[in-house]
Amino acid sequence: PCESGNSMPWFGMDIGGTLCKLVYFEPKYITKDEADAEVETLKNIRQYLTKNSAYGKTGHRDAHLQMDDVCIRGRRGTLHFIRFPTSEMGNFLALAKSKGMANLVTTVCATGGGAYKFEENFKKEVNLSLAKFDELDSLIRGMLYIEMTNPCECYYWTNPTDDEKCQKMPYDFSKPYPFLLVNIGSGVSILAVQGPNDYRRISGTSLGGGTFLGLCCLLTGCNTFEEAIELATSGDSTRVDKLVKDIYGGGYSRFGLPGDLVASSFGQMNSKDRRNTVTKEDLARATLVTITNNIGSITRMCALNEKIERVVFVGNFLRVNPISMKLLASAMDYWSKGTLKALFLEHEGYFGAVGCLLQFTG
Ligand code: ADP
C-alpha cells in the first residue's frame, strides 16, 4: 500500500543554469488499488514519458542511461532520464499542462537554482508544488546511490595520452572515501567528500561548461554543444595556443617543462597572420582545451590541499566529450606523477535529479 505522500508519479528535477534534468521512476508492478485509483491522466503521462525519446523540439530521453529493476523506497521499477534546455521551461510547463498535470495534486522534488526561480510558475501554471532540496546534498546522494546500484557506473581512462591505446576501464569504487567531486556544469563546484553525510564545498570556478559553450559560439558561430564538440574534435589547438617550444624552441628542461606544454592559451592569436590561418575547428579545440586544463589545474591544487587522491568528475560538460575526459585524466596523472586518479561516471549529469527524487519522503 502506498502512503499518501508517496503517491505516484515520482519525479526528480534538477533545474540548472543551462539544462533541466528530469528523472522519472516508473514502477514495475502496480498494486490493484493503485491501478484502480490510477487516473487516466497519470496513465497518459506514464505512457507519454516512457514511449517517446523526443519531447517537442528540444527534449530528449537518454534511453542508453535507463536503469531497469532498481529499488527505491521499497518499490521496484525503471528510472528514466530526460533533459531539455532550461530556457524551454515555459514550453515544458505548457506541455505538462496539456498532458493534464494540473489535474493531479502532486508535489515534484526539485533542486538547482531553477527550483527557486520557477517555483511560482510551477504553482500557477500547472498546480504543482515543488519540494525543494539542496543541489549539492542531492548531487552526492544521487551519485552514491547510482554508483552502488549500477555495477559498471564508475570508470577511468587507461593511457589517456595515447589515442591508439586509450581505453575506458571499469573502476571499483566500493570504498569511496575520501574523494573530490568536481561538478562541471555551467560553472564548476569542487567538493571534498569524507563520508555520505560529510562534505564541504572547497572551491569552484565560473570558467565552466557554460564558458566553453559561450566562447565557442562567439568564436566559431556554432549554435549547439554537440556542434561545438564536433568542431573541436577535428581541430588543432596548437595552432591557437603558444607552446613552450614556440617560446624556447624546445623544452624548458631546467624546470621540467616539455616543449609541447601550453605556455599561453590563445597566445598565438595576437598575430594577424596566425588569425588568418586558424580554422573554426582549431578555435573550438583551443577553447575546449583551455577551459578543461584550467579546471584540471584548480582540481589538482584542491586535491593537494586536501590530501585526497581520487577525483570524480561529473556534470554535463563531460557529455559526449571524451577529449576533456582524457585531458583531465592525463593532467591528473602527469602533474601528480601518478598519485592522482581521475574517475568518471556514466550518468554524469543526472545525479542531482536522482538525489532529490531519493530525498523525498512524502
Ligand atoms: P547546469 O546544471 O548548470 O545546467 P549541467 O551539468 O547540466 O549544468 O551542464 C551544463 C553544461 O553541459 C553546458 O554548459 C554545456 O557545456 C554542456 N552540455 C552538454 N550537453 C548540452 C546540451 N545538449 N545543451 C547545452 N549544453 C550542454
Side-chain angles (χ1 to χ4, degrees):
C2 236
E3 294 159 36
S4 61
N6 275 347
S7 67
M8 302 283 169
W10 292 354
F11 289 109
M13 268 190 127
D14 175 5
I15 313 173
T18 308
L19 292 174
C20 177
K21 282 73 66 179
L22 176 67
V23 175
Y24 168 59
F25 179 80
E26 177 197 14
K28 192 168 181 183
Y29 307 107
I30 299 180
T31 61
K32 177 147 189 335
D33 285 355
E34 278 175 338
D36 292 345
E38 188 179 45
V39 287
E40 206 57 24
T41 321
L42 190 50
K43 203 181 287 170
N44 289 343
I45 289 169
R46 178 154 56 83
Q47 281 174 356
Y48 177 73
L49 286 179
T50 58
K51 300 290 175 283
N52 290 296
S53 61
Y55 311 94
K57 283 203 185 72
T58 53
H60 295 276
R61 180 158 61 91
D62 284 312
H64 67 288
L65 295 179
Q66 177 174 327
M67 291 171 75
D68 295 310
D69 210 29
V70 298
C71 185
I72 292 181
R73 272 176 263 136
R75 299 289 299 257
R76 291 219 155 262
T78 300
L79 280 178
H80 298 276
F81 298 88
I82 297 162
R83 64 184 152 84
F84 61 89
T86 303
S87 57
E88 297 288 325
M89 189 55 82
N91 288 330
F92 170 80
L93 291 172
L95 180 74
K97 190 171 182 182
S98 78
K99 296 284 163 198
M101 268 305 243
N103 308 326
L104 302 169
V105 185
T106 6
T107 303
V108 170
C109 313
T111 189
Y116 296 83
K117 185 173 169 188
F118 298 108
E119 188 171 22
E120 277 297 304
N121 304 73
F122 272 85
K123 190 76 222 164
K124 279 212 193 94
E125 287 157 48
V126 248
N127 190 31
L128 284 176
S129 310
L130 298 185
K132 300 194 288 308
F133 295 96
D134 177 78
E135 63 176 298
L136 298 181
D137 289 352
S138 301
L139 175 71
I140 292 177
R141 193 165 301 198
M143 168 220 155
L144 293 174
Y145 172 83
I146 297 285
E147 202 286 319
M148 258 170 27
T149 311
N150 180 13
C152 41
E153 181 67 25
C154 188
Y155 62 94
Y156 67 102
W157 293 91
T158 57
N159 308 300
T161 47
D162 184 340
D163 267 346
E164 303 269 286
K165 285 201 226 145
C166 186
Q167 264 186 28
K168 223 169 131 169
M169 294 289 275
Y171 184 84
D172 177 5
F173 199 56
S174 52
K175 292 203 179 69
Y177 308 109
F179 66 94
L180 280 194
L181 185 57
V182 181
N183 185 29
I184 318 179
S186 310
V188 182
S189 280
I190 302 181
L191 318 176
V193 187
Q194 307 288 347
N197 296 305
D198 179 8
Y199 76 90
R200 284 179 303 128
R201 183 183 187 278
I202 51 175
S203 188
T205 166
S206 65
L207 304 185
T211 319
F212 161 67
L213 188 52
L215 286 177
C216 213
C217 291
L218 280 173
L219 288 169
T220 72
C222 75
N223 284 301
T224 66
F225 181 76
E226 286 75 8
E227 227 183 303
I229 293 292
E230 198 179 310
L231 288 171
T233 305
S234 54
D236 178 359
S237 57
T238 67
R239 291 154 52 82
V240 178
D241 293 340
K242 202 166 267 183
L243 307 184
V244 169
K245 70 179 172 202
D246 295 323
I247 303 171
Y248 273 77
Y252 182 11
S253 52
R254 184 162 176 229
F255 291 101
L257 302 179
D260 285 329
L261 194 69
V262 181
S264 168
S265 301
F266 282 81
Q268 311 249 44
M269 293 296 89
N270 62 325
S271 144
K272 192 165 189 188
D273 291 346
R274 290 280 184 177
R275 281 201 299 278
N276 287 333
T277 62
V278 293
T279 63
K280 289 193 290 190
E281 287 80 2
D282 298 336
L283 290 167
R285 180 66 162 244
T287 311
L288 191 62
V289 169
T290 299
I291 295 297
T292 305
N293 281 342
N294 186 57
I295 296 168
S297 83
I298 295 170
T299 302
R300 263 190 309 111
M301 290 189 281
C302 291
L304 204 64
N305 253 335
E306 299 291 321
K307 302 184 176 55
I308 293 180
E309 295 191 337
R310 284 178 306 175
V311 185
V312 182
F313 291 95
V314 298
N316 277 319
F317 174 65
L318 299 174
R319 229 193 103 239
V320 297
N321 185 4
I323 297 176
S324 290
M325 288 194 270
K326 292 175 191 178
L327 263 179
L328 288 167
S330 43
M332 293 302 110
D333 189 69
Y334 178 83
W335 294 105
S336 72
K337 303 202 167 61
T339 60
L340 270 181
K341 187 136 202 99
L343 303 171
F344 302 92
L345 299 171
E346 297 290 351
H347 290 81
E348 56 222 348
Y350 280 109
F351 301 117
V354 173
C356 85
L357 171 72
L358 295 172
Q359 284 176 90
F360 186 53
T361 50

